Amino acid sequence: GMGRVGTAAARLLAAFGAEVGYFSRTRLDPDHERRIGAEYRPLEELLPAADVVSLHVRADAADYRFGAREFALMRPGRYFVNTSRGGLVNEAALATALRSGRLAGAALDVFAAEPLAPASPLDGAPNLLLTPHIAGRTREVAEMYFRSACANIVRLEAGQPLRDLIEPMARGAR
């Protein structure tokens, strides 16, 4: 994806001299691509060419599901990163790709079920870095959450629909 987070990642990587390719539902304007140093490629071309694949997509991006097919398209010995949403990745397929050596490594900040269950197929997978959904914890994000909460208080007072709601967890669920 090449939204706000993907664009920021592309700019940072390009500044270090990385060749940045991307796939997105909507291609950026070519002038914008040049400014951020990213080149659009169809997914079937991007995955075999990439040394590192990093997901930067919304949770509702059904066309971005990563499973056995996508990992098979990647060249052996490459890396996979997911800081978007855990449900976008078939964790059993990722564990298989890691255990078989297809992938040299992976880093995940999000999981299909959080916290990661001990019975997860990822448990014990080699060359896997896991963090507890903290990659987006920056001062800017905290300020954005605060502004969003304040805006929702104003909407509530005005009788308007609230935005960015999260479904509550069932009682006792973790």
Side-chain angles (χ1 to χ4, degrees):
M2 198 51 89
R4 184 179 50 83
V5 175
T7 297
R11 282 189 174 121
L12 287 171
L13 291 166
F16 284 98
E19 290 182 34
V20 178
Y22 78 97
F23 173 75
S24 185
R25 282 185 267 193
T26 306
R27 183 175 179 176
L28 299 174
D29 176 83
D31 287 335
H32 187 66
E33 288 179 349
R34 278 190 293 284
R35 279 195 308 276
I36 64 172
E39 177 186 348
Y40 177 86
R41 291 187 175 179
L43 193 60
E44 290 72 22
E45 291 177 22
L46 181 64
L47 293 178
D51 292 328
V52 178
V53 172
S54 183
L55 293 185
H56 300 282
V57 297
R58 296 171 52 100
D60 64 354
D63 51 342
Y64 285 95
R65 302 278 185 229
F66 257 74
R69 175 187 171 273
E70 289 73 21
F71 293 123
L73 285 171
M74 294 173 68
R75 287 180 293 155
R78 301 309 183 236
Y79 296 87
F80 178 77
V81 177
N82 185 16
T83 57
S84 290
R85 295 290 179 256
L88 297 172
V89 177
N90 179 321
E91 292 175 350
L94 174 58
T96 298
L98 288 165
R99 287 190 174 96
S100 71
R102 177 86 192 162
L103 290 179
L108 305 177
D109 186 54
V110 291
F111 319 104
E114 294 181 6
L116 188 64
S120 166
L122 296 172
D123 188 37
N127 302 321
L128 178 61
L129 174 66
L130 303 174
T131 56
H133 204 147
I134 59 169
R137 302 291 192 256
T138 65
R139 179 181 177 141
E140 292 81 9
V141 169
E143 289 171 358
M144 180 186 68
Y145 288 161
F146 179 76
R147 285 190 301 273
S148 177
C150 290
N152 268 342
I153 291 169
V154 171
R155 283 186 194 93
L156 182 66
E157 175 88 353
Q160 299 171 344
L162 304 181
R163 294 189 182 154
D164 303 318
L165 297 179
I166 298 171
E167 291 296 319
M169 280 201 262
R171 177 169 255 169
R174 296 187 84 203

